[in-house]
């Protein structure tokens, strides 16, 4: 079975600084997707970034980028120029390729941003 | 973009009553939808996979007679919490996949059982 581990329950970053959120996962599959989701206080799940395992290039979305290390099964999220609106709970998630595959979530990390 | 809605957003009920939560994909069809339960400051726990035209698939430990799921059409799945008790109070979220790599989440339903 696939597992996703987020070992840091909380992190804090100064506004405008950079922060990295860690995630490791375990799978015997070679083709899959990895995601970072943001859940603000409204509790609406928001997709932050997506990485396809067969792509070696790390995904980026504006201030958000990932460091995907397939061999190490590591998938960290870097948030640059942190903003107050980045404060939220962040979940790392894994999904096998294929239609209608389910997501496996990590425990999540609560990120606070200091003004 | 694709949107998934949930109704109601918040429901309060008395112990012993049943509550139905709806999940709709508004601009796409979903043969599969997922139902999650989330406690405060915790992760999403997958409860079941809702399949249009067939029985739902429940995760281990989830009581299928307690949490009835019906996927009546390609845009609607319902979760009914039967004979609700205070321990069923939680935040329930649905999601619907579109394509092979994107899932859209509903805004969630807060259930409070008195």
């Amino acid at each position: 079975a696939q597992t996703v581990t987020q070992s840091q329950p909380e992190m804090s970053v100064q506004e405008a600084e950079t922060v990295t959120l860690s995630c490791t996962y375990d799978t015997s599959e070679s083709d899959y997707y990895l995601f970072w989701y943001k859940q603000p206080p409204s509790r609406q799940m928001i997709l932050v970034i997506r990485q396809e395992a067969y792509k070696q290039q790390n995904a980026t979305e504006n201030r958000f980028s990932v460091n995907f290390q397939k061999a190490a099964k590591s998938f960290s999220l870097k948030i640059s120029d942190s903003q107050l609106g980045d404060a939220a709970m962040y979940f790392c998630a894994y999904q096998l390729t294929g239609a209608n595959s389910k997501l496996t979530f990590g425990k999540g990390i609560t990120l606070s941003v200091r003004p | 973009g694709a949107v998934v809605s949930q109704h109601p957003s918040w429901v309060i009920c008395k112990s012993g009553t049943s509550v139905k939560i709806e999940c709709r994909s508004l601009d796409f069809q979903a043969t599969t939808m997922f139902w999650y339960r989330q406690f405060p400051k915790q992760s999403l726990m997958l409860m079941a996979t809702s399949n249009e035209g067939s029985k739902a698939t429940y995760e281990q430990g989830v009581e299928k007679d307690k949490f009835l799921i019906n996927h009546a059409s390609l845009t609607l799945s319902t979760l009914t919490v039967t004979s609700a008790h205070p321990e069923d109070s939680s935040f329930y979220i649905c999601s619907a996949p579109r394509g092979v790599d994107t899932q859209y989440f509903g805004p969630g339903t807060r259930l409070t059982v008195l």
Side-chain angles (χ1 to χ4, degrees):
Chain A
Q2 293 79 24
T3 59
V4 177
T5 302
Q6 294 178 256
S7 56
Q8 307 155 302
E10 296 179 349
M11 285 195 76
S12 180
V13 63
Q14 189 75 34
E15 193 175 7
E17 297 295 309
T18 296
V19 65
T20 299
L21 310 183
S22 301
C23 173
T24 59
Y25 60 95
D26 189 24
T27 183
S28 58
E29 304 290 336
S30 60
D31 202 9
Y32 49 86
Y33 295 95
L34 295 166
F35 306 86
W36 278 97
Y37 283 91
K38 171 184 179 181
Q39 189 180 42
S42 68
R43 303 189 80 168
Q44 172 71 59
M45 295 290 284
I46 301 167
L47 176 64
V48 175
I49 202 164
R50 170 197 300 117
Q51 175 77 44
E52 297 164 273
Y54 67 87
K55 288 189 176 179
Q56 292 186 339
Q57 186 173 6
N58 289 323
T60 61
E61 287 288 342
N62 300 314
R63 298 184 295 107
F64 300 88
S65 61
V66 297
N67 183 4
F68 174 48
Q69 301 290 328
K70 191 173 184 179
K73 297 179 182 174
S74 170
F75 183 61
S76 60
L77 174 69
K78 184 172 80 172
I79 305 174
S80 303
D81 185 26
S82 296
Q83 301 175 359
L84 295 178
D86 294 333
M89 204 159 180
Y90 286 82
F91 295 99
C92 179
Y94 166 101
Q95 180 188 308
L96 278 172
T97 56
N100 302 327
S101 294
K102 65 182 181 182
L103 286 164
T104 299
F105 287 95
K107 288 186 176 181
I109 179 171
T110 300
L111 177 68
S112 58
V113 181
R114 305 185 301 275
Chain B
V3 176
V4 172
S5 69
Q6 275 185 248
H7 177 79
S9 57
W10 194 1
V11 56
I12 302 174
C13 70
K14 293 183 178 180
S15 185
T17 61
S18 294
V19 173
K20 180 184 286 188
I21 302 170
E22 293 185 348
C23 177
R24 293 181 185 272
S25 55
L26 296 184
D27 58 354
F28 67 102
Q29 294 181 334
T31 57
T32 297
M33 292 183 179
F34 299 98
W35 286 97
Y36 302 85
R37 185 174 182 177
Q38 185 182 32
F39 292 105
K41 298 292 185 182
Q42 294 189 22
S43 188
L44 282 70
M45 181 191 79
L46 180 65
M47 299 175 65
T49 302
S50 174
N51 302 299
E52 191 269 336
S54 64
K55 291 183 179 180
T57 304
Y58 290 83
E59 296 299 302
Q60 190 173 7
V62 176
E63 300 175 62
K64 59 182 180 182
D65 295 331
K66 174 78 169 172
F67 300 100
L68 300 179
I69 290 173
N70 182 28
H71 200 135
S73 73
L74 288 172
T75 58
L76 173 64
S77 175
T78 60
L79 168 67
T80 301
V81 183
T82 63
S83 186
H85 291 287
E87 57 266 30
D88 298 323
S89 298
S90 190
F91 193 69
Y92 294 87
I93 304 173
C94 70
S95 73
R98 188 178 192 183
V100 297
D101 63 352
T102 302
Q103 286 208 29
Y104 294 93
F105 286 82
T109 297
R110 185 184 306 277
L111 170 63
T112 301
V113 184
L114 302 177

